[in-house]
Amino acid sequence: QLQLVESGGGLVQPGGSLELSCAASGANLNYYAFGWFHQVAGKEREGISVVSISGLTTKYAESVKGRFTVSRDKVRNTVYLQMNNLKVEDTGTYYCAAARVPGTFLDRTSWARLAEEEYDVWGQGAQVTVSS
């Protein structure tokens, strides 16, 4: 049973940086792509980044391009979201999630989609507050 545990959230000033971690256990991660989602209270959860099984394909929402970087470490079984130049509007809860990529997909290791319904397992969420 795949489990995801997030860490690294906190309070930061505008322009500052944080790195979120998502530690995975209980399954072979070579079958999963990982996404990061942002949710503000009272609003829909938004996909902001995804990294493929290979780690070589990434995708970002327009709002975070050039500021956030997603990566994965297969040795440590951990996915990261490096957040730089944080803005007040980045405040919210960040969830990591794992999507099991269908075995019939031609380029399975490069699959990278940010649709929430594609994801099967979710972390508990990490709170990020950007404030002066």
Side-chain angles (χ1 to χ4, degrees):
Q1 181 77 12
L2 178 63
Q3 292 184 318
L4 307 177
V5 179
E6 299 179 44
S7 62
L11 174 65
V12 65
Q13 295 182 0
S17 298
L18 284 174
E19 184 180 70
L20 302 181
S21 298
C22 178
S25 62
N28 186 346
L29 302 188
N30 288 329
Y31 292 92
Y32 293 90
F34 285 85
W36 288 94
F37 295 80
H38 176 228
Q39 186 170 37
V40 178
K43 295 185 178 180
E44 294 290 323
R45 189 151 50 195
E46 177 189 19
I48 58 170
S49 187
V50 59
V51 58
S52 68
I53 292 172
S54 69
L56 300 178
T57 303
T58 59
K59 189 177 297 182
Y60 299 92
E62 190 67 30
S63 60
V64 305
K65 284 182 179 178
R67 300 189 298 120
F68 291 9
T69 303
V70 64
S71 62
R72 61 188 295 168
D73 186 331
K74 294 187 177 182
V75 175
R76 296 183 174 88
N77 297 323
T78 302
V79 181
Y80 303 94
L81 183 68
Q82 178 65 47
M83 304 183 292
N84 297 324
N85 192 24
L86 284 160
K87 303 176 180 180
V88 172
E89 51 263 44
D90 294 321
T91 293
T93 304
Y94 287 79
Y95 298 89
C96 68
R100 186 176 177 89
V101 180
T104 56
F105 193 79
L106 181 60
D107 295 318
R108 188 176 65 87
T109 61
S110 64
W111 185 97
R113 297 176 63 182
L114 274 172
E116 183 175 349
E117 62 269 21
E118 301 280 2
Y119 290 81
D120 307 300
V121 182
W122 293 78
Q124 82 280 12
Q127 180 64 39
V128 172
T129 302
V130 184
S131 176
S132 299

